[in-house]
Structure formats: structure tokens, C-alpha cells
Amino acid sequence: MGFNPADLFRVKSAAAKFNANHPKLIPFFGAAKNKAMTPGSVIEISITDPNGERIETNLRVQESDVEFINLLTEMAAKNQ
């Protein structure tokens, strides 16, 4: 299975647009990783659609999750 460099460019472009649309998300994860993002912590996520219907879930943070969040925040910092 080969890696297409054009896909990396598309992901980088989409991530930049996402960050521009939601500028508080990366700083939120940065603050959370410094204070509360430790193995055993629980992240709760909910989505409410325009009709008011809500779905929600949660996850218990694993060490690999912390590593992934650190990677994302490092990548975001390099691209600012």
C-alpha cells in the first residue's frame, strides 16, 4: 500500500480550514492536555443537530490518546 503525497497536502489543507473555522479547538486541547488530559480521564462529546436531536458519547483516555493529542498539538503549533 503506497502513500500518496497529494493526500498529505489535502489533509493539511483541510486541517487548516478546519482550524480557521474552529479556532478555539486546538487551544482547548492544548489547555486540556496540560491540566486534565491524563490516562483515566473521561472525554464527553455531544452533538446537537439543527432539529435539536442530540447524540453523545464518552471515552476514557488511554496513554496512546495522550500521545496522539500531543502529536496533533505539536503539528498545529508548527503550522501557525
Side-chain angles (χ1 to χ4, degrees):
M1 178 177 203
F3 180 76
N4 184 347
D7 288 340
L8 181 60
F9 179 75
R10 288 177 45 215
V11 168
K12 184 177 178 182
S13 177
K17 185 173 183 178
F18 184 89
N19 193 40
N21 289 338
H22 310 286
K24 295 179 182 179
L25 188 62
I26 296 297
F28 170 81
F29 278 120
K33 85 175 179 109
N34 292 330
K35 292 186 177 191
M37 187 77 64
T38 59
S41 297
V42 176
I43 297 173
E44 297 177 336
I45 301 169
S46 68
I47 300 173
T48 305
D49 72 14
N51 298 321
E53 291 187 46
R54 181 181 169 125
I55 59 172
E56 56 190 49
T57 191
N58 63 59
L59 60 96
R60 188 163 307 278
V61 176
Q62 306 293 316
E63 182 63 37
S64 60
D65 302 326
V66 174
E67 293 168 6
F68 180 62
I69 295 297
N70 288 339
L71 175 63
L72 291 177
T73 54
E74 288 171 17
M75 290 171 60
K78 288 179 184 178
N79 290 312
Q80 289 182 354

